[in-house]
Amino acid sequence: MKRLLNSEDIKLININIDEELVGSFNKEHCVSDKTKVIIVGTITPPKGCGYFYTSPYNCIYGYIDETRKTNLKELKRKLKTDPTIKSDIIKILKEERIAFLDIMKEAIRKKDSSADNDIKNFSLDYDIFEEVFTNILKNNNVKVICNSRLAEEGYKRIKEELKNKIILPDNIYISQVRRLQKIWKEKWLIEI
């Protein structure tokens, strides 16, 4: 992974005027001992509204709504003006046994971009995966869906790094692009 740094080194990089340092929402995850699916991404883009997958063009909440008959997309819109809505989103995700994690702890990316290609440098969040799979999920049979190739690459790197401490489940890769909506709905989210 050509852009990977450790957490200490990433903070030492000079950030250009057209870049920004961003952190993940991993500390606010909603993984519980009942979680059945963890959707793994890279890092929430700057236009996110304070939680995973809340940037305007992200489709994940719509996929969950259409499959599980929830109202996450509507709540995502309301979250723009009312930060208290985040607790409603987390409650629904827990009820549906779906959670999100990002592979990145922090990243330097092009300002206002959600593209993985615009991530210049990043550190992986080994700690959150170790914590979740050691303390929360333990023997839970959870599916891990990586929604981009960079997320998949990072997840595999985390899995390899932690293999002497814990065994992380294998992952599947499903891009979150709109044309694969049917796969999300029919194959992976319906089986929870």
Side-chain angles (χ1 to χ4, degrees), residues 23-162:
S24 77
F25 291 107
N26 281 344
K27 290 183 180 171
E28 300 177 56
H29 70 78
C30 65
V31 179
S32 76
D33 61 348
K34 295 183 178 19
T35 298
K36 292 296 179 192
V37 171
I38 297 177
I39 300 171
V40 175
T42 52
I43 198 159
T44 299
K47 290 186 179 175
C49 297
Y51 200 62
F52 300 92
Y53 301 103
T54 55
S55 61
Y57 300 109
N58 195 287
C59 302
I60 296 291
Y61 286 7
Y63 296 166
I64 296 169
D65 283 351
E66 292 170 32
T67 307
R68 311 294 298 167
K69 307 301 180 221
T70 57
N71 66 333
L72 290 167
K73 202 171 170 182
E74 177 188 334
L75 291 172
K76 179 173 96 168
R77 280 192 289 272
K78 290 180 180 178
L79 184 62
K80 289 179 186 178
T81 57
D82 183 359
T84 64
I85 296 292
K86 182 168 35 174
S87 62
D88 296 334
I89 291 172
I90 290 170
K91 181 178 182 246
I92 290 170
L93 290 169
K94 282 185 173 185
E95 288 170 358
E96 296 300 323
R97 298 176 298 192
I98 299 168
F100 306 124
L101 288 174
D102 285 334
I103 59 157
M104 296 179 188
K105 192 172 207 169
E106 60 265 317
I108 296 172
R109 69 179 321 138
K110 183 179 176 183
K111 274 187 184 171
D112 298 325
S113 175
S114 60
D116 283 355
N117 288 339
D118 286 337
I119 297 171
K120 180 180 172 185
N121 300 100
F122 62 91
S123 63
L124 292 174
D125 197 346
Y126 300 104
D127 297 336
I128 198 68
F129 284 88
E130 183 175 1
E131 175 191 322
V132 162
F133 285 94
T134 301
N135 300 329
I136 300 172
L137 291 173
K138 297 179 186 170
N139 297 317
N140 191 338
N141 187 17
V142 68
K143 293 177 186 173
V144 174
I145 302 172
C146 295
N147 66 14
S148 75
R149 288 297 181 192
L150 183 56
E152 180 180 47
E153 187 179 341
Y155 179 76
K156 288 179 177 179
R157 181 85 175 238
I158 291 168
K159 184 177 176 182
E160 177 65 24
E161 182 72 23
L162 297 177

